[in-house]
Every structure is written in C-alpha cells, then in structure tokens.
Amino acid sequence: MIPTEDASARKREIEEKLKQEQETLAFIRENLEKSDQLTKGMVSILSSFESRLMQLENSIIPVHKQTENLQRLQENVDKTLSCMDHVISYYHVAKDTDKIIREGPTGRLDEYLACIAKIQKAVEYFQDNNPDSPELNLVKARFEKGKESLEAEFRGLLTRYSKPVPPILILDAIGVDEELEVQEEVTLEHLPEAVLQDIIIISGWLVEYGRNQDFMNVYFQIRSNQLDRSIKGLKEHFRKSSASSGILYSPAVQTKRKDTPTKKAPKRPVYIPGTIRKAQNLLKQYSQHGLDGKKGGANLTPLEGHDYDLRVKHLNDALSEKHGASAGKDDVLDIEIDSYIHCISAFVKLAQSEYALLSEIIPEHHQKKTFDSLIQEALDNLMLEGDNIVSAARKAILRHDYSAVLTIFPILRHLKQTKPDFDTTLQGTAASTKNKLPTLITSMETTGAKALEEFADSIKNDPDKEYNMPKDGTVHELTSNAILFLQQLLDFQETAGAMLASQETSSSASSYSSEFSRRLLSTYICKVLGNLQLNLLSKSKVYEDQALSAIFLHNNYNYILKSLEKSELIQLVAVTNKKVESSYRELIQQQIQVYQRSWYKVTEHLTDRNMPAFQPGTKLKDKERQAIKDKFKGFNDGLEELCKIQKGWAIPDKEQRDFIRQAQRKVVSEAYKAFLQRYANISFTKNPEKYHKYRPDDVEDMIERLFDTSA
C-alpha cells in the first residue's frame, strides 16, 4: 500500500503536466487560426495575379504571332533574293570568266581552275533547271574551251620542260662505287618541282572532270621521245669520247670523290674497247713468236728463226694496215659494244625513273599501260640494235671469223646481270614487252653456242698447206689463235658455259646450272685442245724432215702447256681432265726424244761398231786407216750439215731451247771426247788436221748456236 504523501505528490505532478499541455494546445490552435488567415490572403492574391496574367496573355499572343509571320516573310524574301542573285550569277559566268579562259592557265593555274569550277557549276545548274536555255550551250562551250586550254597547257609544260637526261648524269646514275659504305644515289630530275606540281594538278583535274584519256597519250608520247633521245645522246657521247681509255668517267663523279683519292672509280658495266679483237689481231701477227713471263700472253719480242727478217717486214706491214682502215673499223665496233652495254643499264635506270615520275601524274589504274607504251620506242631500238649485233656475228661466223662471237660475250653477260632489274622494272607490262630481253638473250646464246661448236670443228679441219707452215718449226698460227680464243673465254666462263648449256636438253642442265655449265665449258676446251692436237699431228707430216716435225710439235705442245699454266685455263680443263698437264709434258718429252734421234746419224760415227780392236803402236792396214778416216769424215760432215740446218730452226721458249741444247751438247760432247781419246795415239793419216777439224769445245759451241740465226 502506497503511502498517502506519495499519492498526493504524484497527483499534483500529473495535474501540472496536464495544465502545461493544455496551454501548448491553446497556443497551437491560435497559430493555426493565423495560418489559415494568411493562406486565405495568399490564395486571394494568386487568384488576382492569375486573372491579370490571363488578361495579359490574351493581349500579347496575337501580337507575337503577327511578328513571327512577319519575320518568316522577311526570311523568305532574303532567301529569294539570295537565290535570285545565285541564279543570276550563272547567267554572268560566261562573261565573267571569258577573259581568263581566253588568256589560258599559264602562270595562274589556281585562278584558272577556280574559273573552270564556276563554269562547271553553271553547266550543272542549267542542265538541272533549264536544259533548253541558250546559256547552257554557252557555258558548255566555255567549259570545253577551258578543258582544251588545260590539255594544251599540260602538253606545253611537258614539251617545254622535258629534256633528255645528260649522258654524264646517266653515267653517274648507273655507276656504283663499291668502296663507299653509303652509296650516293643520283637523282634524275626530269622536270622542275614547280612545273611538276602544276602538271600533277592538271592531270588530277583532267582525270576527275575531263572525262577523257587523251592527255595520257600525250604524256607517253612526249616522255617516250625524251627517253629515246636520252639513250641516243648517251650513244653519241660514246662516239665522241676517246675509246682508248676504256672507262668513260664523268666530271661529276670525280668532283664528288676528289677528297678520297684512295677510293676506286665508280664501277659501271664496262666492256674494255678493243681487248678482244685487238688481242686476236696482234696475236695473229705475232704467231711466229713465243711466250714470255706474262700471264696468258704471247711473247711479242721477235726470236731467232729462219723467217726472222721476213716476219719483221710482214709484222710492220700488218701493224700499219691494222692501224689503218681495219683498226678503225674494229675501234668503231668496240665503242658500239661498250655503248650498247651502257645503254642497256641506262634504259633500266631511266625506265625506273620514268615510272616514278609517271606514278605521280598518271592515275594508278592507267600507270602500267601508259608505262608500257612509254618505253616501247626506246626498248624496240635497243632490241633492234641487239638483233643487229647478233646478225653481224652470224654473218661473221659464216665467213669463219669466229672471233666475232667474242663480241657477244660481254653483251650477253651484261644482259643476264641486268635481267633481274629489267624484269622488276617491266613488271605489269604486256607479255610481249617482258619477253623481248629473254628473246634476245636466247638468240645470243644460240648464236654463241653455234659459233663455239663451229670453231671447235674448224680447228680440227684446218687444212694442211705447206705454204702456211712455219719453215722454222715455230708455233703455228692456228695454235696461237686457238689458245687466245680459249683464253678470252676465261673472262666469260659463266656466259660461255650457259651458252653451251642452253643447247642441252638433259635434266642436269637445269638442276645444276652453275656446276653443269662449268663442266660443259671444261669439256668444250678439252675438245678444242684435242682437235688442235690432231690437226697439229696432221700438219707436222707436211715436213719432210722428221726432226723438224718433232720441233714443230714440241713448240706447239709447249706453247699450249705454258698458255694453260699461265692462265686459269689449266684449272678449268682440270675439271674434266685431271692429267692434262702431265699429258702435255709427256708429249713434249716424246718430241724431244724424236728430235734427239736426228743426231744418231752423227753420233753413230763416234761408236766402235764394225771397227776392229787396235793396239797402240801397231801399223794399221789401209783398210783400217780408211775406216777411221770415214768415221771422222762422217762425224764432221754430219755435224756441219745438222748445225747448218738446225741453226735456222726456232725454239721460242728460252728454257726449252737451253734444255735441248744442253742435253744434246752433253751427249755429243762426251761421245766425241771418248772417240778422240780412243784414236789419239793411233796414226791413221799424214794430215790429221784434215780429219780432226773440231775440238770438243768447238763442237759444244756449234751445238750452242743451234736454233739461232743471229749466231
């Protein structure tokens, strides 16, 4: 039970809280009444504002609509006026552009093209809006006139500024300096940059708006003419230049490299003028002479021989003649060959440069066709010249002038070296264009192979004529010419091998081209040497004296061997014949032995054959004395006769000449000394000086003077 005091306190507390709540409630009610009054006042204000706003809107909207309509009308009027001005401008285009169109685009291409653009828009307007208008025909005529002027300007710029490339610049462009780490690329500038840009702009316009391809024909005709003139200019440069220097250097290259004197001169496709023909002509004149120490060459110093004086006179006459009309013809041909080789390289370089220029001017889908047409004239002229060279070689071969085929070798080698660049440059052209060079190469290979085979046959079938045989047994002209011909092949081993391989149909010819070609060339050289040996054997039978025949074969075999050894021919022959060197040494030794047998008729008188034994101090019978006299007389007469005859013979090789003399001197001298010793104390005549004519030293001196007409 709660105490009374606590209950009373609790009640008083509750009553106080209730009173506070009632006061709060009264305050809230009072505020609500004020809020309601304010709300009613605001609603009244808003209602009044809304009413006034509606009145204002009803007044403004009509004005706004009217203003908007007026603005629209103004815009329509402006647009109409603008369109009218635009349309009217089309009617004035012909008049406004007349002066510029008539004066042409020269010197103001951009302004001219802007006028053409105006005319073109006028044409489009009249075609779309008033196709029957007379103004349409007028602006069309203006447009065509403008297009013709642009085409004329295109032609004029090309004609005025297209010039042949100077020969010196061409030579620089095709030159390569292998010593320089960074190659100096020579740029061929066919047109000035400003002119080129104008031509490119005109070309682009004609492609897009001109709607014809006539300008492309104009382009290839003009550039084709310049390409052909550039190559002809290079040919003329060669004709005017000295052919004796071999390499035609240009001042430009010398200037560029004057600070580097150790550098080699630029390497160009060079054929040394006269090397082949002059070498052959000289060797024909010196065919009576022997070898010296120079690699692969004939000794041009006259040696002892029976025909020495005649040979000197003949040599002088021949050289005079060679330096006359004949030498002139050869020099011209050599320059033509050198020129042709350079022109082939020049064509490739110029064609590449022309394509680079063309690719900037001609649309891509027309470039290959235009390029094909552009190069035709120059290419046809080069191929025709090549065909003429082949034809000339064929005619020479028919005359049995096989040295003419040597002129083909440098050309053919260069054509093959150039063919990869040639094919790359002509990629995309017509098949007939791309096949022209391979056709010429095939023609040269066929002609060359035929000449090589006929040359081998001519060596075998060279007639045996006594008047054509050297009286002193020296090297035959056929031998020297054959060896020289083979030596010339060394510089063109791959080319000559490919010629021979081109006539083969076996699978190995294509499978192992390089090795197969080398073996074919080795086989061919062996064939020529074999034919030469057979012919020399046949020719040697013309001599009645077997010893002279042996000297003749010895000289020729020795000449062949020395020529092989002093050139790379020996390595080439060894590809198919390992024993060629030993074979020729054996042949040479055999002929030396045959020659030495000619002395048997002299040395047999020094033997004791059919002679009785003599006792010193005993008196000889008349028969015995006569036998001894006959021995002395036979030796003296035989020695004198042989020395007289063999003194006029020739052994050009000093080493061989000394060897044969020494060997013969030793044999005869020893036999003669023994002979004298046997009969020294035997009295067989009252006049011993009549039979004992020569001392051993005299005999040796006589033998030492063999093969020497000047002794």
Side-chain angles (χ1 to χ4, degrees), residues 618-629:
T618 59
K619 187 177 181 180
L620 300 179
K621 299 178 181 179
D622 292 342
K623 183 177 181 180
E624 292 173 339
R625 284 197 299 271
Q626 188 61 42
I628 296 174
K629 291 178 181 179

Side-chain angles (χ1 to χ4, degrees), residues 139-153:
V139 292
K140 273 188 174 181
R142 283 284 187 276
F143 182 79
E144 290 300 321
K145 174 66 176 175
K147 185 175 74 171
E148 291 174 1
S149 296
L150 283 175
E151 291 174 345
E153 179 71 3

